[in-house]
Amino acid sequence: MVQNKQESTPIQENKMGIMPIPKLLISMSLPMMLSMLVQALYNIVDSMFVAKLNEDALAAVSLAFPIQMLMIAIASGTGVGINALLSRNLGEKDFNNANRAAKNGIFLAFLSCITFAIVGGLGSRLFFEVQTKDPAIVAYGSQYLRIITICSFGIFMQITFERLLQSTGKTIYNMITQTTGAVINIILDPIMIFGLFGFPRMEVAGAALATVIGQLVGVSLAIYFNHTKNHDIDINMKGFRPHGQTISNIYKVGIPCIIMQAITSVMTFGMNKILLMFSSTATAVFGVYYKLQSFIFMPVFGLNNGMIPVIAYNYGARNKKRITQTTKLSVSIAVGIMLFGLLLFQTCPAFFLSTLFDASDEMLTIGVPALRIISISFLFAGYNIVIGSVFQALGNGVYSLIVSLARQLFAILPIAYLFAILFGLHAVWWAIPLAEIVSTTASTILLRRIYRLKIAPL
């Protein structure tokens, strides 16, 4: 029915091809930035309540974080592939292939959640035993991770259906789905962790269950909005058959993005192993840093989510001016956000650690200089994040992969390990800002290349 409607009525130009870039980027990105701020808030709240149990519980959640990052990497990386292909098809007025991209993306998300449910159900305890012999951390962590993975339907499907809304410019609905899920998570956290209002006290398992319930509510809303508000595409799965070429095109962009984000998971796992050479408190500090920095980074990721379909659409429409305008404005906004984050981390680290996470004296001793050193990387991170997403939007996700490999595997981990052996824990944190400088250099070289080969000839 949707296709017939598209064929029988005059085609109207999508706002991504005609609206002034500043207004377009703000209208596309602001809802995503606000919703991702809420996402960051509930990540922090999650760890705040867990920290009130004890430091072992906080360390366990920190050690589980690489697997959560891996799930998000696969879901959002596939989503980037869907987003770039679908938006480009819409820019070319190819509605049949746009619909096919959407349906195959939903199919891939379903396969991913089945895989994680099986692997997580069988391997969660082993994952923690490889990292630590502390029985309390292993018990807390395996409970948390088992729930998160077995019930991963919510995270995979929510990200996928939100990407479909994003691809057609309807990001306001993403703000509603993400905010609603996050608020429910925040409300349920203390109830399920501490056993309030007649609920059993579930401790760390309660934090995991609250997260899963919030995600399931979010995906329910995302499916509803796609069916009722997103008339640019048809996602009726009746009679669906997987389409090999479409899946290949999705993963052409998506796999480099998945690997790029999965490398972050590998880096976090490696950093945790290095930090465990000193103490579990050091790993808790690193986990707290990731929760706190998400409050700065998430708005930049929201900006990217609004930027990618704009660039992909205008690349399909062969509009060089709008591509370059969008890129320059996005970099300016991202750098401004990161400078604000740098100011906060330099001036308030003790407040964040003691007030939000009930930090012990040992955690404060380790954490205050750690947060100040790591946050120096913010000077470069905003530029690097935006340029990586520009590569993805133009169909060159492998460039993002190259930069991520250079930063996280060839820079952070070797430098961190070397500094740990030679200079001690205090020096380990310097690996992150040094690696960001490597990333800036690589990003700039590859940006000049992609401009010469893809954008300049338009």
Side-chain angles (χ1 to χ4, degrees):
M1 293 297 292
V2 173
Q3 288 173 298
N4 292 337
K5 180 181 178 181
Q6 289 165 343
E7 290 169 1
S8 62
T9 59
I11 296 173
Q12 292 185 341
E13 180 67 67
N14 189 288
K15 68 179 181 179
M16 290 186 284
I18 57 174
M19 185 180 288
I21 290 299
K23 181 179 179 181
L24 174 63
L25 187 62
I26 295 301
S27 68
M28 291 281 289
S29 300
L30 188 58
M32 297 296 297
M33 294 170 73
L34 293 174
S35 64
M36 296 194 91
L37 269 174
V38 175
Q39 293 281 313
L41 176 62
Y42 94 71
N43 281 334
I44 292 174
V45 170
D46 211 37
S47 293
M48 284 171 54
F49 286 121
V50 168
K52 293 183 183 300
L53 294 171
N54 52 62
E55 201 168 282
D56 284 341
L58 181 59
V61 172
S62 298
L63 292 175
F65 193 53
I67 298 299
Q68 290 181 280
M69 293 173 69
L70 181 60
M71 290 194 294
I72 293 172
I74 293 173
S76 60
T78 305
V80 167
I82 298 166
N83 201 339
L85 179 60
L86 202 160
S87 295
R88 188 160 62 248
N89 288 334
L90 289 177
E92 296 166 349
K93 307 297 184 293
D94 187 350
F95 298 108
N96 287 334
N97 278 326
N99 293 334
R100 186 176 288 134
K103 293 176 185 179
N104 279 273
I106 295 169
F107 169 71
L108 294 174
F110 179 75
L111 291 183
S112 297
C113 66
I114 294 297
T115 301
F116 269 93
I118 295 171
V119 174
L122 297 176
S124 292
R125 187 172 187 87
L126 177 62
F127 176 78
F128 278 90
E129 290 175 341
V130 168
Q131 298 182 83
T132 179
K133 301 302 180 186
D134 188 311
I137 295 177
V138 171
Y140 278 133
S142 56
Q143 288 175 11
Y144 182 86
L145 190 57
R146 192 171 291 116
I147 293 171
I148 291 293
T149 52
I150 290 176
C151 303
S152 61
F153 176 87
I155 186 66
F156 280 104
M157 290 299 179
Q158 182 177 355
I159 289 175
T160 299
F161 280 98
E162 286 173 351
R163 291 289 185 174
L164 298 183
L165 290 165
Q166 175 189 326
S167 297
T168 56
K170 296 172 177 61
T171 53
I172 186 67
Y173 298 111
N174 288 0
M175 183 179 71
I176 297 172
T177 61
Q178 292 188 17
T179 302
T180 304
V183 169
I184 288 174
N185 190 342
I186 292 170
I187 293 171
L188 291 179
D189 261 333
I191 295 173
M192 293 187 164
I193 292 172
F194 302 112
L196 307 179
F197 307 116
F199 277 80
R201 180 184 174 94
M202 300 178 68
E203 299 194 341
V204 171
L209 191 57
T211 298
V212 166
I213 292 172
Q215 290 167 351
L216 291 174
V217 172
V219 72
S220 299
L221 285 172
I223 292 172
Y224 169 77
F225 286 134
N226 269 285
H227 276 289
T228 60
K229 307 295 184 182
N230 199 0
H231 302 303
D232 290 339
I233 55 174
D234 175 17
I235 57 171
N236 187 340
M237 301 295 287
K238 184 177 180 180
F240 168 77
R241 294 288 184 275
H243 189 263
Q245 186 58 53
T246 300
I247 292 173
S248 174
N249 289 336
I250 288 172
Y251 279 139
K252 182 181 178 182
V253 174
I255 284 182
C257 184
I258 290 170
I259 296 174
M260 181 184 68
Q261 295 187 59
I263 289 168
T264 303
S265 178
V266 174
M267 182 276 292
T268 306
F269 180 84
M271 280 292 288
N272 283 336
K273 292 288 286 183
I274 293 169
L275 294 171
L276 283 169
M277 294 164 53
F278 300 97
S279 70
S280 61
T281 302
T283 64
V285 167
F286 192 54
V288 164
Y289 158 72
Y290 258 100
K291 299 292 184 178
L292 289 172
Q293 62 94 26
S294 69
F295 204 71
I296 309 301
F297 279 69
M298 283 294 192
V300 180
F301 294 145
L303 172 70
N304 280 359
N305 288 341
M307 177 197 73
I308 286 174
V310 176
I311 291 180
Y313 183 98
N314 285 285
Y315 181 60
R318 302 186 60 80
N319 193 323
K320 178 172 68 174
K321 182 179 179 181
R322 291 178 67 81
I323 294 172
T324 55
Q325 279 184 310
T326 304
T327 301
K328 290 177 181 178
L329 181 58
S330 298
V331 168
S332 299
I333 295 172
V335 169
I337 293 171
M338 298 307 296
L339 288 176
F340 174 72
L342 175 64
L343 177 65
L344 290 179
F345 272 67
Q346 292 296 319
T347 57
C348 308
F351 170 80
F352 291 143
L353 290 167
S354 58
T355 304
L356 300 181
F357 298 98
D358 292 340
S360 63
D361 289 340
E362 182 184 5
M363 182 177 280
L364 285 171
T365 301
I366 296 172
V368 169
L371 294 183
R372 285 181 173 145
I373 292 168
I374 296 173
S375 64
I376 295 172
S377 65
F378 293 1
L379 289 169
F380 314 98
Y383 169 82
N384 294 333
I385 292 169
V386 170
I387 298 306
S389 294
V390 170
F391 296 154
Q392 294 161 12
L394 295 173
N396 284 71
V398 70
Y399 284 9
S400 298
L401 174 59
I402 291 170
V403 173
S404 189
L405 281 169
R407 175 182 179 272
Q408 302 195 78
L409 294 190
F410 302 145
I412 288 181
L413 289 182
I415 293 172
Y417 182 73
L418 184 64
F419 282 11
I421 297 297
L422 296 179
F423 308 116
L425 176 60
H426 178 78
V428 171
W429 314 114
W430 282 102
I432 296 176
L434 289 174
E436 208 67 58
I437 295 173
V438 172
S439 179
T440 301
T441 304
S443 295
T444 302
I445 292 171
L446 292 172
L447 178 63
R448 290 171 65 89
R449 175 179 171 80
I450 201 171
Y451 183 86
R452 185 177 73 253
L453 296 178
K454 281 200 165 183
I455 300 175
L458 293 178

